[in-house]
Amino acid sequence: MFGNLGEMANLLKKAKDIQKNMAALKEEMARTEFSASSADQEVVVVVSGDFQIKSVKVAPSIAGNENLGNIIASTTNSALIAAKSAMQSKMQELTGGMNIPGLF
């Protein structure tokens, strides 16, 4: 009977540890930057691990390009995918591979 209580206590401790580590991970990811560039390197986008756009650099040579919006959107999405992938990888490490709905 008391063996189950010990297991429950261990689970609660692990949950608290995961919660604490998640807070630290969110802070770390907010400080981490991910960048992507267009194929021709004329657009460079930097985002943070908390999915905020930090900078967009556009080469003057393509400033009038009618596809500039699409190039910026595509490059931004690539940077965000890199940030999301890193977050998912770190979450897997943090939770020991458990898929916990609502965490990310």
Side-chain angles (χ1 to χ4, degrees):
M1 176 176 180
F2 291 110
N4 289 339
L5 289 176
E7 289 176 30
M8 179 83 83
N10 283 336
L11 284 174
L12 288 173
K13 183 184 180 319
K14 283 184 181 182
K16 285 183 181 184
D17 288 345
I18 289 173
Q19 186 177 24
K20 179 180 152 189
N21 291 337
M22 281 181 50
L25 174 60
K26 285 182 180 182
E27 289 177 17
E28 174 189 343
M29 290 300 291
R31 291 187 308 268
T32 304
E33 293 184 346
F34 300 87
S35 65
S37 57
S38 59
D40 54 11
Q41 305 292 313
E42 291 181 323
V43 174
V44 178
V45 176
V46 178
V47 300
S48 62
D50 61 349
F51 312 113
Q52 300 296 310
I53 297 172
K54 295 303 213 176
S55 67
V56 177
K57 294 179 184 171
V58 178
S61 60
I62 66 164
N65 186 325
E66 64 184 44
N67 291 321
L68 183 57
N70 291 335
I71 295 168
I72 291 171
S74 175
T75 305
T76 301
N77 285 332
S78 294
L80 290 170
I81 288 168
K84 184 176 181 179
S85 177
M87 176 65 99
Q88 287 173 331
S89 177
K90 290 185 180 276
M91 289 297 281
Q92 286 288 325
E93 291 174 22
L94 184 67
T95 63
M98 290 186 331
N99 184 16
I100 302 173
L103 285 184
F104 181 72

